[in-house]
Amino acid sequence: MIYFDNSATTQALPEVVDTYDKVSKSVWGNPSSLHNFGEQAFNLLEQSRKQIADLLHVHADEIYFTSGGTEGDNWVTKGTAIQKREFGKHLITTAVEHPAIHNSMEQLKKLGYDVTYLPVDDEGRISIDDLKSAIRPDTTLVSIMAVNNEIGTIQPIKQPRRF
Ligand SMILES: Cc1ncc(COP(=O)(O)O)c(C=O)c1O
């Protein structure tokens, strides 16, 4: 079989599966518990957070673990919109986002937010000029998937542009 669906789900590397298996069997305490077993899990969690932060060149307190993509999308979209509402209620996304983003945006619309859906070309790509024109003084969030989970299109996130 030749697998062409890596943008939706990528097979985990054997070392990832081995580590998951090892940790699940040996360090399964609740990291919020005060006993030694919990502390062991807490320390491993914090070590992982630091390792991921170092790889991404960010601070450890900028790394959050969620149960998956849907929870992460909901949390970031609604959390940002609500936290920044004093600066404005305009959000920008694209017409081809995952339902976890699209449905969150639609819920926010019902709460009085204004959402701009950027159009895409026949390869699913947005135009940076469209994005530039859509940004307003009251825009608080631009949420665009870097790589489309169904067709694999990479958005021009590296394209240099002066705003
Ligand atoms: C951008 C995006 N958000 C959310 C999801 C859903 O993720 P999960 O099944 O982990 O909730 C996917 C899955 O492909 C995705 O690509």
Side-chain angles (χ1 to χ4, degrees), residues 137-155:
D138 62 338
T139 305
T140 53
L141 176 67
V142 176
S143 176
I144 298 174
M145 54 166 44
V147 179
N148 188 282
N149 61 306
E150 287 184 9
I151 54 176
T153 301
I154 301 172
Q155 296 296 346

Side-chain angles (χ1 to χ4, degrees), residues 12-162:
L13 292 171
E15 52 267 45
V16 172
V17 177
D18 288 348
T19 304
Y20 179 82
D21 184 58
K22 197 170 123 194
V23 171
S24 304
K25 285 174 182 159
S26 58
V27 197
W28 47 265
N30 185 330
S32 302
S33 296
L34 295 175
H35 46 70
N36 286 347
F37 202 39
E39 196 181 342
Q40 216 182 323
F42 176 83
N43 290 339
L44 192 57
L45 192 62
E46 292 312 305
Q47 181 192 316
S48 310
R49 198 188 307 277
K50 173 92 178 65
Q51 278 176 311
I52 294 167
D54 288 347
L55 277 172
L56 297 174
H57 306 291
V58 298
H59 294 290
D61 63 5
E62 292 174 275
I63 302 294
Y64 293 89
F65 296 110
T66 66
S67 63
T70 301
E71 183 191 338
D73 286 349
N74 270 271
W75 191 27
V76 165
T77 309
K78 294 172 190 168
T80 306
I82 290 166
Q83 197 199 11
K84 301 291 178 193
R85 66 187 179 282
E86 66 181 283
F87 299 106
K89 287 179 134 187
H90 178 234
L91 316 167
I92 300 174
T93 187
T94 79
V96 291
E97 295 301 305
H98 187 276
I101 290 288
H102 181 82
N103 294 342
S104 297
M105 292 289 179
E106 288 298 300
Q107 280 183 324
L108 286 162
K109 263 167 79 173
K110 288 183 191 152
L111 295 175
Y113 287 80
D114 189 13
V115 180
T116 298
Y117 289 100
L118 297 174
V120 296
D121 64 17
D122 54 8
E123 291 183 350
R125 198 167 284 113
I126 61 140
S127 129
I128 292 289
D129 286 332
D130 285 350
L131 172 57
K132 187 181 166 192
S133 336
I135 293 175
R136 313 189 315 214
D138 62 338
T139 305
T140 53
L141 176 67
V142 176
S143 176
I144 298 174
M145 54 166 44
V147 179
N148 188 282
N149 61 306
E150 287 184 9
I151 54 176
T153 301
I154 301 172
Q155 296 296 346
I157 50 176
K158 285 196 175 159
Q159 187 176 319
R161 193 77 196 181
R162 282 178 177 229

